[in-house]
């Protein structure tokens, strides 16, 4: 168990790190962050900040020296430079390695009995033609690595679209389009002792590949598919010897849950837990990596809606403060680029 006053190192400097640091402060820990990005939003709430390249081994070692335990908030932290962090790293870098590559991720989940959308790896034009022939259209081409918030994705409506696609050359994956009734996520926390707790699964709505809202209670189709989805998520967490918050995203279909992707970290679809659950995903992540007892994950209130504040909407987000049910979170990002997650608003009903 990590003593109060100990230092948690966070790899990455985004809003997830910022909210981890805020939860850690409440439990008496101090956080320092490491990110190549200048002025990251987590830096504002951390005691110290390393602004260095991921591959700067000297800086990484100096950072590690100052930390009692290390976690990540960013999924695309390169694995190689963090392997030397060894036991100080609370989570196994295998989790990152798996989640960073859509092909490894799908194979891993299939190996555990999970069912992703039909897919094929696409390394060149011939692969693409074959993938479209085998799987059919419509489908989605995604970069194997580094995609997020709908970036690095192209919809393929017809074989002719595939013929006109000019970006083969980067490793891609082609997925059949899933006709889903709803999307949902399973958010769990696993302690150092292997104990697992789940939050209620929210219904997630994406717009242009970006999460727009997460709501609870989820519709009946989701509620009916949470159990097998949880069983898979637990297997993933156990197989990785995972510690902390882990998220799996699913499509609820007429034929049961279809695995979409996993995130070995706290997740946007779990932001509602800050006010909507007895213990938030951020606090339980801190508890898990510090070896503290996990907190109750029960939902408080009868209905919860988390709405992301995207791009320019941040300028007027404070308007929601006049709603007594609303909790406004802004991440302190300087530029409101289109499609950028600037904050979120959670509304809780108690009736
Ligand atoms: P991803 O970044 O892979 O989670 O994709 C972002 C969003 O695009 C998902 O949450 C879905 O709304 C949509 N999407 C991605 N892949 C598929 C698929 N194979 N079938 C249908 N919709 C998809």
């Amino acid at each position: 168990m990590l003593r109060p006053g100990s230092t948690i190192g966070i790899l990455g400097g985004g809003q997830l790190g910022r909210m981890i640091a805020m939860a850690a402060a409440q439990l008496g820990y101090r956080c320092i962050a490491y990110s190549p990005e200048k002025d990251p939003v987590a830096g504002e709430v951390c005691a110290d900040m390393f602004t260095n390249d991921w591959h700067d081994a000297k800086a990484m070692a100096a950072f590690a020296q100052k930390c009692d335990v290390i976690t990540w908030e960013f999924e695309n932290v390169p694995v190689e430079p963090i392997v030397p962090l060894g036991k100080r790293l609370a989570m196994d870098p295998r989790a990152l390695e798996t989640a960073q590559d859509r092909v490894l991720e799908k194979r891993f989940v299939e190996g555990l009995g999970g069912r992703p959308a039909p897919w094929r790896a696409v390394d060149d034009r011939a692969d693409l033609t074959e993938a479209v022939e085998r799987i059919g259209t419509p489908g989605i081409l995604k970069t194997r690595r580094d995609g997020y918030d709908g970036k690095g994705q192209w919809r393929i409506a017809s074989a002719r679209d595939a013929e006109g696609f000019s970006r083969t050359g980067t490793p891609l994956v082609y997925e059949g389009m899933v006709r889903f009734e709803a999307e949902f996520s399973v958010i769990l926390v696993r302690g150092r002792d292997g104990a697992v707790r789940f939050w209620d699964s929210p219904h997630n709505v994406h717009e242009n590949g970006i999460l727009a809202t997460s709501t609870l209670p989820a519709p009946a189709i989701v509620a009916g598919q949470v159990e097998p989805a949880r069983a898979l998520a637990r297997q993933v967490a156990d197989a990785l010897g995972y510690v902390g918050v882990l998220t799996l995203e699913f499509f609820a279909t007429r034929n049961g849950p279809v695995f979409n992707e996993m995130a070995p970290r706290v997740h946007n679809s779990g932001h509602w837990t800050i006010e909507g659950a007895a213990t938030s995903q951020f606090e339980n992540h801190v508890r898990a990596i510090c070896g503290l007892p996990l907190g109750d994950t029960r939902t408080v209130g009868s209905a919860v809606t988390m709405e992301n504040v995207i791009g320019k909407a941040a300028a007027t987000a404070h308007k929601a403060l006049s709603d007594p049910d609303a909790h406004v979170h802004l991440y302190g990002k300087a530029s409101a680029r289109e499609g950028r997650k600037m904050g979120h608003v959670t509304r809780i009903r108690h009736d």
Side-chain angles (χ1 to χ4, degrees), residues 102 140 142 153 175-178 183 206 251 260-261:
R102 291 186 190 273
I140 306 191
K142 300 180 180 177
Q153 299 194 4
E175 289 179 23
M177 190 75 82
V178 177
E183 290 186 78
H206 292 80
F251 302 115
N260 178 21
E261 61 179 4

Side-chain angles (χ1 to χ4, degrees), residues 102 105-106 117-118 138-140 142 147-151 153 155 174-180 183 204-211 249-251 258-261:
R102 291 186 190 273
E105 179 182 80
K106 288 176 198 298
I140 306 191
K142 300 180 180 177
Y148 69 100
D149 286 348
K151 294 188 176 71
Q153 299 194 4
R155 302 214 164 204
Y174 182 72
E175 289 179 23
M177 190 75 82
V178 177
R179 292 179 55 178
F180 57 80
E183 290 186 78
N204 301 326
V205 174
H206 292 80
E207 284 167 13
N208 305 317
I210 305 175
L211 183 67
E249 293 183 72
F250 290 90
F251 302 115
V258 171
F259 167 80
N260 178 21
E261 61 179 4

